[in-house]
Amino acid sequence: MPDISVVVIVYNDAERLPNAVQSVLDQTLRNVEVVIVDDCSSDGSFEVARGLEATYPGRVRAFQLPENSGAGGEPRNLGIQQANGRYVMFLDSDDILERNACRNMFEAAEESGSDMVSGLCVRLYKDTRHERRNEWYPWLYSTTRTVSSVTELPDLLVWDTLSTNKCYRRDFLISNDLRFPKGMFYEDLMFIAEAYLAADSITLIPNQVYFWHVHERAENKSVTNSRHDMTNFVHRLEIHRRIDALLAERGLTEMKVAKDVKFLKHDLVLHLRDLPFRDEAYRREFAALAQEYLATLSPEAFAKVQPIQAICAYLLQQGDWERLIPAVDTLTHRSKISSPLAERNGRIYWCAEHLDDERGRAVLDVTDLGYHDKPLEKLFLRNQLSAFDVAGRTVRLAGDIINPLGTIPADAELKGELLFSARRRSLQSFSFPVRSLRHDGESVHWEAEADLTDGLRPLGIVDAVWDVRLKLSANGALTTTRLTVGDTDLTPRTLPVRPRLTRIVADHLKPHVSAKGHLAFELVAERRMGQRAQEFIDRGVRGKPGVLAKSSYRRAKNLRKTLTSGETKLRLYHEVFSRLPVKKRTVVFESHLGRQFSDGPRAIYEEMRRRGLKFEAIWAYQGTPNDFPKDATLVRRWSLPYLKALAQAEFWVDNQGFPLKLVKRPETTYIQTWHGSALKRMGFDLAELKRMSRAQQKAQQDALDRFDHFLIRSEHDVRTLAKAFRLQEKTLLRVGYPRNDSLVRTRRQELAEGRHGPHPLAAELGIPDDKTVLLYAPTFRKAGGRHARFELPFDVERFADEFGDRYVLLVRAHYLNHVVLPPTVRDRVINVSGHHDVTPLLELSDALITDYSSVMFDYALLDRPMLFFAYDYDEYAHESRGTYFDLTDAAPGPVFSTEEELYAAVKSLDTQALDYASARQQFVARFGEYDQGDAAQSIVDQFFAEWSR
């Protein structure tokens, strides 16, 4: 008796069948048989199967169905009947098994006694140049585990619905009469659901077992690549209905909700993305089918998916095509806004329609996505092509750019240009002015003409595809849009073009729709000579010259990839750049890993500029260089210029840490300003560092040992930070923090004038003079919630209603978090998280609300009230990072844990200045004794004063 029978099903796949069978014959578990079942092929597949049976007698057996069944279910059912093994596995003729798959499955089944064993499936995209890989829900297979019921791990039934990456005890299949549905697509879903629910135990193993070959460009599409066929959708819905009935029969309500969520997130999305490319008749038929099934889904499921997924499903139910098709555009491009949005009663909705429906209001509410908070520069707007025409050598285009919530004012000065760019990177681009731009209510209408014959000169051959974008400027604010074709007619109308290399191969540009629905142009040959030349070149590409050219190109591309890899950059830094001479009077500044122009490095830089020192300033940035100084050299973090600058700099000035693996040269001086005193445990006092291997700990220590000077603001820092970082005494500079110099000066000025003077930032933020300013600045927390953002621990709308007549609340999230405020609190609560430097915000604020953020130590220097909203203190102090002291004992202000206590503390704010005056003085003496307002001056005096002009 074989240990395992592998059932290989085939239909018109004679060419690939031997490869699949060979992957079974080559298994390291030798006692394996192959059962080939042919679904009445017409291409000779069964003859190939019989040939394999003759070649491997006793190991391969071949069978054929008398007529084609139309799907993969019946061939597998026959395979189960004919299998002789103790276990059964399934394999499609165009896929293969991993070499150790059978052994790993068999041993796990024997050891656990489970009815089923499941391993990791890997999708290999065979059409891609480097055979892109995609692991199938790998989180399920992180470790070996056995569950006694699928209800212990619902994600199995919901997500891993494949039958092919599993091994089944044959007696289990027979005794439970487990069979695939006949003549139905998606037969795996039903079969595997019944198998999961019938199994007494299921074992998962963290091994790759099955390689699923995906051929997206194949002439004969697979079921998963044939979603345009309505039968595909009909079968999918029928299978889901059967599974729903199965779950209902067993009372598995929660699992039904989880499956509904998966349908909205995955199954429906796959078909929705095709809708913009389908005609009206298809859409109507699709809607009729979908609406009936969507009505059976749990309302709870709509609340558990991404907003745009729920919005599309809801609009489909309503048959609202005018809004559904644009919404599908956002479904395909998650960051795109394809609707004008609507504001009602302080909430933001996807559209103004359907808001009289309670369920519609819930689904269409997108307030938490923060669209209303974003400036034009950060919006990706839908640009619907409304007209397309070709006249001679000129293409005429018109379109409408969505204007959400009137972000583009009606009186804005509008400018625009069309940009044609070759899809291959680093090749050419050409621009044409937009002839007409006008504000049109919920959109901006534009019209343009482009003479592509004279204005666009492709190289030819190498730049065959050209994408079109429209750059829009509104009062100087820029945004770039793609041209969505939609239902606009692009009936092939070509334009003559003159490639630079040769016109023999291509002499026209033909418009077409990209895979994601955008307008593009393709170089084509219309003349007979051009077509013949193209055929000649195609033969060359497929022949030996083409093979040589492709291999050379791939080698060059691989070389480029190698040259830009992290490993190569490190080698360049250490073996090339670090051998270049150090450039005197060169300083590299970096703040918070390049995310900000702020903090101690900024204060030192500005002091050096104020004193007119002669030096080369280099600032590292991450993301965009906006808000970084224009009188400095800017380098992107981890770029080659960045690494070269670090290797040659005489000084590094930073407040967090330059990349750990960069060894600092002895000739370079590293000044570490740091960015806060320690409440939370740091460095080697953290449990995760203590658990590291010796090699990992050494790497951490090597990075810390690069510090030549570490700024200290109190002896508390010496006992905590310095000790946790294992710094030597000679490294410590007891000068205070440069970023706090302005806070000390502000406090001294207030004492001299006897009042808290106005701050210029108030006018910038639109804060009236008669309002008291509160700053809420919490520490970092892992993002959570439905939209993976930081959730405020109090009702910000209630806060605004209760205190908005007297106070303005500034909210500044940690730079690794983001927060969204509802529009109802506009002008009363202001999100200032985008401000690089926190110091001006501290100076502006009349009081601080925080939890465990190190800004408490800095703000104390202003001697203003502080409130500590420590709603999760026990967990944070004892179960998470741990603390160096008990905040409840040392805090220079009230510590509380509930929202009601927060409101009570704010109401009594006027008494805080007096009640905690002594506590604030003690706090500053303990944690800020060296902050005397001259830290930046002291650093410049010690290290840079000699650089005067």
Side-chain angles (χ1 to χ4, degrees):
M1 178 184 293
D3 292 326
I4 296 180
S5 295
V6 179
V7 177
V8 182
I9 64 169
V10 60
Y11 175 68
N12 286 352
D13 197 17
E15 183 179 347
R16 291 180 292 199
L17 175 62
N19 198 37
V21 171
Q22 195 63 48
S23 76
V24 182
L25 298 174
D26 290 342
Q27 288 291 301
T28 54
L29 181 70
R30 302 306 299 168
N31 191 21
V32 176
E33 73 163 353
V34 182
V35 178
I36 304 174
V37 181
D38 175 60
D39 198 4
C40 200
S41 296
S42 58
D43 73 336
S45 292
F46 186 58
E47 287 71 20
V48 172
R50 293 293 298 271
L52 291 167
E53 181 181 47
T55 304
Y56 302 100
R59 296 200 67 193
V60 177
R61 293 183 292 134
F63 303 88
Q64 186 180 45
L65 292 176
E67 60 182 9
N68 180 253
S69 67
E74 274 297 274
R76 290 191 182 122
N77 291 335
L78 178 58
I80 295 172
Q81 294 175 14
Q82 297 296 336
N84 294 324
R86 293 172 56 205
Y87 295 91
V88 176
M89 293 174 63
F90 301 109
L91 174 64
D92 291 347
S93 60
D94 55 346
D95 301 328
I96 61 172
L97 294 180
E98 195 277 334
R99 192 165 181 266
N100 298 294
C102 290
R103 177 177 297 281
N104 289 331
M105 295 279 210
F106 178 75
E107 290 179 352
E110 291 291 281
E111 183 177 341
S112 65
S114 294
D115 293 323
M116 295 170 56
V117 175
S118 188
L120 184 63
C121 171
V122 180
R123 299 180 80 183
L124 300 178
Y125 291 80
K126 307 298 285 187
D127 299 334
T128 58
R129 182 174 290 120
H130 300 293
E131 199 170 81
R132 180 164 59 90
R133 297 165 58 91
N134 178 25
E135 294 183 344
W136 189 259
Y137 306 115
W139 78 82
L140 294 169
Y141 298 98
S142 58
T143 185
T144 299
R145 55 178 165 173
T146 298
V147 295
S148 57
S149 169
V150 73
T151 57
E152 293 180 25
L153 190 60
D155 276 356
L156 264 184
L157 183 142
V158 172
W159 294 105
D160 189 1
T161 54
L162 301 177
S163 66
T164 49
N165 60 331
K166 297 169 180 63
C167 177
Y168 312 83
R169 194 179 299 275
R170 186 171 182 274
D171 289 346
F172 160 70
L173 297 179
I174 300 301
S175 61
N176 287 278
D177 193 26
L178 292 173
R179 298 173 61 82
F180 290 86
K182 182 178 180 179
M184 296 285 293
F185 297 152
Y186 304 106
E187 68 281 351
D188 278 25
L189 275 68
M190 189 68 203
F191 173 84
I192 206 63
E194 292 181 320
Y196 278 143
L197 293 171
D200 289 332
S201 62
I202 305 163
T203 294
L204 310 181
I205 60 173
N207 305 92
Q208 297 179 3
V209 298
Y210 194 91
F211 293 121
W212 177 358
H213 292 170
V214 180
H215 302 269
E216 292 181 326
R217 301 176 192 169
E219 189 172 333
N220 296 317
K221 300 291 186 182
S222 64
V223 172
T224 53
N225 287 321
S226 303
R227 288 184 291 270
H228 58 281
D229 184 347
M230 191 61 71
T231 304
N232 189 302
F233 189 54
V234 170
H235 286 199
R236 187 188 288 271
L237 292 181
E238 177 58 27
I239 290 293
H240 274 278
R241 288 191 184 93
R242 294 185 187 186
I243 297 174
D244 292 344
L246 188 66
L247 296 175
E249 181 184 319
R250 296 175 179 245
L252 298 174
T253 306
E254 290 186 10
M255 195 169 286
K256 166 67 164 60
V257 172
K259 194 194 77 66
D260 289 347
V261 169
K262 188 251 186 175
F263 181 83
L264 291 173
K265 292 178 71 171
H266 177 72
D267 300 75
L268 183 62
V269 166
L270 291 175
H271 292 271
L272 283 173
R273 284 175 176 162
D274 278 345
L275 281 186
F277 304 98
R278 305 295 163 224
D279 59 25
E280 185 70 14
Y282 181 97
R283 293 175 186 176
R284 297 293 177 188
E285 184 180 359
F286 176 83
L289 293 168
Q291 287 166 355
E292 182 181 351
Y293 183 70
L294 287 171
T296 70
L297 301 189
S298 165
E300 192 180 340
F302 283 78
K304 291 186 175 183
V305 299
Q306 292 296 320
I308 191 59
Q309 295 166 346
I311 288 168
C312 286
Y314 177 81
L315 294 175
L316 178 61
Q317 282 184 286
Q318 303 303 312
D320 188 345
W321 296 104
E322 185 178 348
R323 272 150 285 279
L324 173 60
I325 297 303
V328 171
D329 197 8
T330 296
L331 189 68
T332 305
H333 310 89
R334 288 294 174 86
S335 59
K336 184 184 284 190
I337 303 177
S338 59
S339 173
L341 308 180
E343 184 175 347
R344 298 287 188 277
N345 301 318
R347 305 298 292 176
I348 305 299
Y349 296 95
W350 183 255
C351 57
E353 291 72 23
H354 313 294
L355 299 185
D356 54 344
D357 173 19
E358 182 179 354
R359 180 163 167 264
R361 287 195 302 275
V363 171
L364 297 170
D365 190 332
V366 292
T367 308
D368 290 344
L369 294 180
Y371 292 136
H372 58 282
D373 252 357
K374 295 181 179 180
L376 181 64
E377 298 94 324
K378 294 187 177 180
L379 297 178
F380 178 24
L381 304 177
R382 175 179 167 90
N383 186 349
Q384 172 64 60
L385 192 66
S386 59
F388 180 90
D389 189 30
V390 173
R393 306 187 310 177
T394 302
V395 59
R396 294 171 182 165
L397 309 102
D400 297 281
I401 302 171
I402 211 75
N403 184 20
L405 300 172
T407 302
I408 304 170
D411 59 352
E413 181 185 355
L414 302 177
K415 297 178 182 178
E417 65 174 3
L418 283 177
L419 186 68
F420 287 72
S421 54
R423 186 166 293 176
R424 282 193 177 179
R425 292 182 183 176
S426 76
L427 291 180
Q428 305 179 93
S429 64
F430 300 88
S431 62
F432 301 86
V434 173
R435 182 184 65 194
S436 170
L437 276 163
R438 72 169 186 270
H439 202 284
D440 197 14
E442 293 183 339
S443 64
V444 171
H445 182 75
W446 60 271
E447 297 175 7
E449 290 184 356
D451 184 344
L452 299 185
T453 302
D454 289 336
L456 190 150
R457 294 297 307 278
L459 295 172
I461 303 176
V462 296
D463 51 1
V465 180
W466 290 75
D467 293 310
V468 189
R469 293 171 175 83
L470 188 146
K471 286 190 173 182
L472 174 68
S473 168
N475 290 336
L478 286 171
T479 186
T480 300
T481 65
R482 300 292 300 270
L483 276 56
T484 299
V485 175
D487 294 329
T488 302
D489 182 20
L490 294 184
T491 302
R493 284 166 286 184
T494 60
L495 294 100
V497 72
R498 296 181 298 169
R500 296 177 189 271
L501 294 180
T502 175
R503 278 179 252 174
I504 297 177
V505 173
D507 54 8
H508 279 74
L509 278 172
K510 176 182 176 182
H512 75 101
V513 186
S514 73
K516 293 192 175 181
H518 294 139
L519 176 65
F521 286 86
E522 182 181 7
L523 279 172
V524 296
E526 282 203 344
R527 293 179 302 175
R528 184 172 180 80
M529 183 184 297
Q531 293 171 357
R532 289 178 177 176
Q534 184 65 59
E535 291 171 4
F536 175 76
I537 288 178
D538 287 343
R539 285 197 299 271
V541 167
R542 289 192 296 267
K544 186 177 290 187
V547 172
L548 289 173
K550 286 178 182 178
S551 63
S552 298
Y553 171 75
R554 288 170 186 165
R555 283 197 299 271
K557 191 171 182 180
N558 290 334
L559 177 61
R560 179 182 178 184
K561 186 176 180 181
T562 301
L563 289 175
T564 56
S565 69
E567 183 180 345
T568 301
K569 286 181 176 180
L570 286 173
R571 290 187 61 189
L572 281 171
Y573 173 83
H574 291 113
E575 299 176 16
V576 179
F577 297 153
S578 292
R579 295 181 180 179
L580 298 173
V582 169
K583 296 171 66 175
K584 295 297 184 181
R585 298 195 180 199
T586 300
V587 187
V588 176
F589 297 91
E590 184 173 293
S591 177
H592 292 304
L593 308 178
R595 289 182 174 89
Q596 298 178 357
F597 171 54
S598 66
D599 217 86
R602 174 176 180 170
I604 294 173
Y605 166 78
E606 290 180 340
E607 174 67 12
M608 295 173 72
R609 287 295 191 213
R610 186 188 67 80
R611 289 165 66 164
L613 302 184
K614 184 179 180 181
F615 68 105
E616 182 183 357
I618 300 172
W619 268 94
Y621 71 92
Q622 187 168 245
T624 62
N626 299 337
D627 300 324
F628 280 82
K630 301 297 185 288
D631 58 353
T633 300
L634 305 182
V635 292
R636 188 185 298 276
R637 202 171 194 268
W638 261 117
S639 66
L640 293 181
Y642 170 81
L643 297 175
K644 186 172 183 288
L646 284 174
Q648 291 191 274
E650 186 176 358
F651 281 88
W652 292 358
V653 179
D654 163 66
N655 70 345
Q656 191 157 340
F658 288 107
L660 299 181
K661 294 182 179 180
L662 300 184
V663 177
K664 183 184 69 68
R665 298 171 69 170
E667 305 96 317
T668 301
T669 299
Y670 190 167
I671 301 175
Q672 173 56 255
T673 69
W674 206 240
H675 54 276
S677 294
L679 165 63
K680 301 158 284 192
R681 293 193 176 275
M682 305 291 293
F684 286 95
D685 289 339
L686 290 173
E688 52 262 40
L689 262 71
K690 292 178 180 178
R691 290 194 296 266
M692 285 182 177
S693 66
R694 288 185 178 180
Q696 290 172 320
Q697 289 191 11
K698 182 180 183 302
Q700 289 286 330
Q701 190 61 58
D702 288 345
L704 294 168
D705 287 344
R706 296 178 302 175
F707 301 160
D708 294 297
H709 304 286
F710 187 88
L711 273 54
I712 294 294
R713 63 190 303 247
S714 70
E715 288 304 308
H716 169 76
D717 289 353
V718 177
R719 295 188 296 270
T720 55
L721 280 173
K723 183 180 178 183
F725 292 160
R726 299 174 180 174
L727 302 177
Q728 298 180 33
E729 173 64 29
K730 66 179 182 180
T731 304
L732 309 181
L733 285 180
R734 292 171 170 82
V735 297
Y737 283 171
R739 74 176 188 178
N740 290 340
D741 290 347
S742 64
L743 298 178
V744 175
R745 290 194 295 267
T746 297
R747 177 57 183 159
R748 288 174 181 167
Q749 184 177 351
E750 289 175 0
L751 288 173
E753 297 178 358
R755 66 187 181 89
H756 174 192
H759 195 282
L761 186 57
E764 181 184 326
L765 296 174
I767 300 174
D769 294 339
D770 62 340
K771 292 290 181 72
T772 300
V773 180
L774 307 180
L775 173 64
Y776 177 55
T779 191
F780 168 74
R781 280 182 173 79
K782 290 183 178 179
R786 183 183 176 197
H787 309 299
R789 61 181 177 83
F790 172 63
E791 300 280 357
L792 294 175
F794 58 92
D795 185 340
V796 69
E797 291 178 290
R798 179 187 169 190
F799 190 100
D801 291 341
E802 198 153 334
F803 300 109
D805 58 337
R806 179 180 175 188
Y807 297 110
V808 170
L809 178 67
L810 308 181
V811 176
R812 189 180 195 271
H814 189 277
Y815 67 88
L816 294 176
N817 288 138
H818 78 279
V819 68
V820 172
L821 300 176
T824 48
V825 302
R826 191 179 289 125
D827 299 327
R828 296 176 294 168
V829 183
I830 303 173
N831 186 0
V832 292
S833 303
H835 284 250
H836 274 214
D837 203 341
V838 71
T839 301
L841 298 171
L842 298 179
E843 293 172 343
L844 168 65
S845 304
D846 297 286
L848 172 71
I849 305 170
T850 186
D851 44 17
Y852 327 112
S853 172
S854 63
V855 297
M856 72 174 76
F857 301 104
D858 306 321
Y859 194 77
L861 297 170
L862 293 168
D863 195 26
R864 299 175 191 169
M866 288 189 281
L867 311 179
F868 296 86
F869 191 8
Y871 56 91
D872 55 355
Y873 183 66
D874 288 339
E875 177 189 350
Y876 198 90
H878 305 301
E879 299 176 22
S880 183
R881 290 184 62 162
T883 59
Y884 287 114
F885 60 91
D886 190 339
L887 179 64
T888 58
D889 292 336
V895 181
F896 43 87
S897 59
T898 68
E899 186 171 350
E900 296 304 324
E901 291 174 312
L902 166 66
Y903 297 146
V906 173
K907 289 176 182 176
S908 63
L909 191 62
D910 291 341
T911 66
Q912 302 293 332
L914 294 175
D915 292 347
Y916 287 91
S918 176
R920 288 196 299 273
Q921 291 174 4
Q922 294 174 21
F923 195 79
V924 171
R926 180 179 176 184
F927 300 110
E929 58 190 295
Y930 300 129
D931 277 325
Q932 299 300 317
D934 59 356
Q937 179 183 337
S938 176
I939 293 299
V940 174
D941 285 343
Q942 291 184 58
F943 301 102
F944 308 112
E946 64 184 34
W947 292 359
S948 61
R949 293 180 184 275

